[in-house]
């Protein structure tokens, strides 16, 4: 029986991408639904829907300001039920709060009029429109955090230059996490205030370090996301340098952690020269970089855990997991570790741990010196499931953990697999119960001794999901939970080597 594909266009209806991804996930989970996506009708989104066999000729007439509802169902009845549910979700006031408020501004101008004292705009629109919205916000005197991705790097550089000239901070594009004056923006965790500031290119890098600092008894003054390309030559580190200036001038910040992929050489010099001129101390955590020379007031940390530990004054940010001897000896035929990560920086950190241990690895998001995933050589595959190739037309795995399900099933069936290495990321914006989803998925493989599953959980007990509760669910499902992502990677290696 052929599938039923339904498209509906809502002309001039806009919802942000996070809300649409949540709705897509809810629709896709209905009985008889093979796939679903609610997306704005930009050319890029229409290509994604076409590739996913979700776009009809009618749907292809949508324009950038239109919303497309795309449903592929096993039966006409299932498609009809999904259409009804999509209508219900879209008619639900998305700005409704617990107090019952239903109004939300539909433009930047209306938002500023309603809240004239605001000084930051969080922009989450399709990439085709993001630069224009960012420019509007800057010209209204607002700092900008841009969650949107698919923004041209030339636009990013121009926006950051304009922001710098106006004395405003431009965080992003593709900025997943910031914490300003204790307020979490994007994907972030509930953290105690403290005297450690963070400047980070990525979302999960900031989240892992800030949560480890919190668990180690420290707190965060501010965490400023800059976007993954800020330290490229084309952008020149504009936001990173401005963020360092702000934190340097902040009396509540004692120590500053900088997290990024290895920067371009010329940009790295600008950054280290700026750091050398500060009276404060720094941790440089360039994941995938080497132990290059740092200014006298800074130290280089090769992993996120090492970065958090240094920021805490070398007080351990986590304790090593006790490796039970009865699981530490994988059979000789089982040697492979499958790393299936939701967090790109967590995937990069695991690569660092494996590379330092001399293990052969490959990845779809390789750090310098690691080959791209090909599956041709004996190597541990460490995969970033949040990469574009896995999320086209689908939510990010932090929002929808089912994105990992197919890869997890493949890894569980691998006769050479010793360990499956996972990360779970909690906090605002993340799935409400990632541990519960993983436990339910693993239940269908109950009784299977190998491969074992090792996980880390990035979060705190203040998060909506609750760190302790999530760990308890994982352990009840037979998952071995490590206190940090770096510890989980080290534990996985220990299991393959029989080290206990």
């Amino acid at each position: 029986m052929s599938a039923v594909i339904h498209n509906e266009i809502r002309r001039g209806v806009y919802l942000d991408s996070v809300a649409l991804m949540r709705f897509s996930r809810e629709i896709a989970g209905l009985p008889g639904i093979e796939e679903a996506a609610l997306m704005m009708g930009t050319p890029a989104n229409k290509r994604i829907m076409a590739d996913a066999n979700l776009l009809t000729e009618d749907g292809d007439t949508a324009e950038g300001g239109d919303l497309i509802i795309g449903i592929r169902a096993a039966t006409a009845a299932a498609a009809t039920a999904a259409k009804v549910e999509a209508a219900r979700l879209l008619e639900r006031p998305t700005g409704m709060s617990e107090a019952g408020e239903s109004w939300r501004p539909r433009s930047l101008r209306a938002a500023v009029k309603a809240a004239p004292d605001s000084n930051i705009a969080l922009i989450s629109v399709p990439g085709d429109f993001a630069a224009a919205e960012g420019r509007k916000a800057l010209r209204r005197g607002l700092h900008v955090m841009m969650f949107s991705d698919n923004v041209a790097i030339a636009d990013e550089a121009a926006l950051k230059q304009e922001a710098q000239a106006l004395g405003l901070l431009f965080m992003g594009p593709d900025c997943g996490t910031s914490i300003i004056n204790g307020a979490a923006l994007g994907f972030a965790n509930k953290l105690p205030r403290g005297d450690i500031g963070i400047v980070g290119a990525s979302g999960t890098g900031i989240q892992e370090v800030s949560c480890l600092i919190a668990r180690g008894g420290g707190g965060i003054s501010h965490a400023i996301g800059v976007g993954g390309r800020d330290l490229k030559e084309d952008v020149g580190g504009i936001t990173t340098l401005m963020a360092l200036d702000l934190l340097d001038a902040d009396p509540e910040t004692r120590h500053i952690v900088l997290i990024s992929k290895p920067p371009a050489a010329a940009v790295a010099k600008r950054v280290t020269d700026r750091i050398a001129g500060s009276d404060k101390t720094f941790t440089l955590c360039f994941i995938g970089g080497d132990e290059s020379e740092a200014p006298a007031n800074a130290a280089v940390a090769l992993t996120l855990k090492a970065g958090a530990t240094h920021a805490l004054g070398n007080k351990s940010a986590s304790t090593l997991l006790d490796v039970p001897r009865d699981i530490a000896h994988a059979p000789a035929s089982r040697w492979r570790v499958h790393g299936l990560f939701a967090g790109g920086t967590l995937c990069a950190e695991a690569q660092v741990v494996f590379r330092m241990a001399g293990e052969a690895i490959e990845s779809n998001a390789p750090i310098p010196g690691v080959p791209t995933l090909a599956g041709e050589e004996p190597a541990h595959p460490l995969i970033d499931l949040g990469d574009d190739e896995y999320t086209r037309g689908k939510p990010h795995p932090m929002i929808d953990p089912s994105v990992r399900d197919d890869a997890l099933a493949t890894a569980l069936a691998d006769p050479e697999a010793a360990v499956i290495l996972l990360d779970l990321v909690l906090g605002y914006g993340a799935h409400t119960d990632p541990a519960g989803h993983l436990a339910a998925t693993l239940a269908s493989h109950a009784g299977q001794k190998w491969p074992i599953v090792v996980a880390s959980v990035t979060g705190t007990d203040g998060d909506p999901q609750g760190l302790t509760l999530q760990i308890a669910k994982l352990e009840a499902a037979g998952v071995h939970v490590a206190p940090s992502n770096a510890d989980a990677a080290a534990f996985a290696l220990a299991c393959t080597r029989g080290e206990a």
Side-chain angles (χ1 to χ4, degrees):
M1 180 182 296
S2 59
V4 177
I5 301 174
H6 166 75
N7 275 185
E8 179 181 333
I9 300 175
R10 299 283 184 99
R11 301 285 181 189
V13 172
Y14 172 76
L15 287 174
D16 71 71
S17 56
V18 174
L20 292 176
M21 285 190 288
R22 291 185 186 280
F23 292 168
S24 299
R25 185 185 70 223
E26 292 186 42
I27 300 299
L30 295 174
I33 301 303
E34 297 178 356
E35 190 57 275
L38 279 67
M39 307 182 84
M40 301 304 296
T42 63
N45 285 345
K46 288 194 287 188
R47 284 195 296 275
I48 291 170
M49 295 184 74
D51 290 344
N53 194 22
L54 278 170
L55 191 69
T56 66
E57 290 186 5
D58 286 344
D60 197 36
T61 65
E63 298 182 350
D66 301 332
L67 171 65
I68 308 173
I69 302 170
I71 297 168
R72 189 174 74 242
T75 65
T80 300
K83 287 163 52 181
V84 172
E85 178 61 11
R88 187 190 70 79
L89 291 170
L90 291 171
E91 288 167 7
R92 186 173 63 188
T94 54
M96 180 173 286
S97 69
E98 292 181 358
E101 298 175 83
S102 60
W103 181 85
R104 63 177 297 170
R106 300 185 67 83
S107 69
L108 189 61
R109 175 184 296 179
V112 171
K113 184 177 181 181
D117 294 333
S118 300
N119 63 0
I120 296 179
L122 198 163
I123 295 176
S124 175
V125 300
D128 292 348
F129 308 107
E133 294 302 317
R135 197 162 285 111
K136 290 178 189 174
L138 291 175
R139 293 174 184 177
R140 288 184 175 276
L142 299 172
H143 302 285
V144 172
M145 175 174 165
M146 183 170 284
F147 187 80
S148 308
D149 58 4
N150 295 311
V151 176
I153 194 167
D155 285 335
E156 176 178 348
L159 286 162
K160 288 184 171 178
Q161 289 163 6
E162 183 171 348
Q164 184 180 37
L166 293 169
L168 298 169
L169 199 60
F170 196 99
M171 298 173 277
D174 199 16
C175 180
T177 301
S178 285
I179 303 171
I180 308 297
N181 284 325
L185 304 176
F187 295 107
N189 303 89
K190 182 67 174 177
L191 300 164
R193 297 297 303 275
D195 60 5
I196 299 173
I198 300 176
V199 179
S202 66
T204 51
I206 292 176
Q207 287 188 267
E208 176 76 352
V209 169
S210 61
C211 288
L212 290 176
I213 288 172
R215 289 188 222 168
I220 304 301
S221 57
H222 310 276
I224 301 174
V226 300
R229 302 180 302 198
D230 190 69
L231 294 180
K232 287 184 177 292
E233 186 70 49
D234 291 344
V235 182
I238 292 173
T239 304
T240 297
L241 292 167
M242 291 181 71
L244 291 175
D245 287 344
L246 290 170
L247 292 176
D248 198 19
D250 176 27
E252 304 299 321
T253 300
R254 171 190 58 83
H255 181 90
I256 300 168
V257 182
L258 176 58
I259 308 165
S260 172
K261 296 176 182 175
V267 181
K269 184 173 188 316
R270 280 176 229 148
V271 171
T272 54
D273 285 350
R274 174 65 188 83
I275 288 172
S278 171
D279 293 331
K280 296 185 177 179
T281 54
F282 292 78
T283 305
L284 305 182
C285 197
F286 296 137
I287 298 297
D290 54 25
E291 292 187 88
S292 55
E293 188 175 346
N297 58 339
V300 173
L302 297 181
T303 65
L304 300 170
K305 177 188 173 185
T309 300
H310 181 257
L312 288 166
N314 291 319
K315 176 183 176 183
S316 179
S318 68
T319 55
L320 285 173
L321 183 69
D322 180 21
V323 183
R325 290 184 178 276
D326 62 345
I327 65 166
H329 300 282
S333 60
R334 289 185 175 272
W335 59 272
R336 184 178 290 119
V337 176
H338 286 272
L340 305 175
F341 294 90
T345 308
L346 300 176
C347 179
E349 183 186 39
Q351 293 176 56
V352 172
V353 173
F354 276 60
R355 188 177 64 180
M356 290 169 63
E359 292 285 329
I361 52 176
E362 57 183 13
S363 176
N364 64 322
I367 62 173
V370 171
T372 301
L373 186 69
E376 297 175 355
E377 301 293 335
H380 305 290
L382 304 181
I383 301 174
D384 172 13
L385 292 167
D387 195 72
D388 288 349
E389 64 184 295
Y390 294 98
T391 56
R392 287 192 182 96
K394 297 179 180 178
H396 191 280
M398 283 169 55
I399 299 172
D400 180 3
S402 69
V403 173
R404 184 156 42 194
D405 289 355
D406 289 345
L408 179 58
T410 300
L412 286 166
D414 179 3
E416 296 182 329
V419 179
I420 299 173
L421 179 60
L422 307 173
D423 61 340
L424 277 72
V425 184
L426 312 182
Y428 302 112
H431 189 267
T432 56
D433 185 15
H437 178 89
L438 179 60
T441 304
L442 292 174
S444 60
H445 302 276
Q448 182 175 326
K449 184 176 180 181
W450 297 97
I452 64 168
V453 180
V454 177
S456 66
V457 184
T458 299
T460 70
D461 274 327
D463 290 332
Q465 303 89 349
L467 176 66
T468 301
L469 178 61
Q470 291 290 299
I471 290 175
K473 288 185 178 183
L474 292 176
E475 291 179 338
V479 177
H480 304 277
V481 182
S484 74
N485 181 64
D487 291 327
F491 177 43
L493 283 175
C495 292
T496 64
R497 295 173 172 179
E499 298 171 2

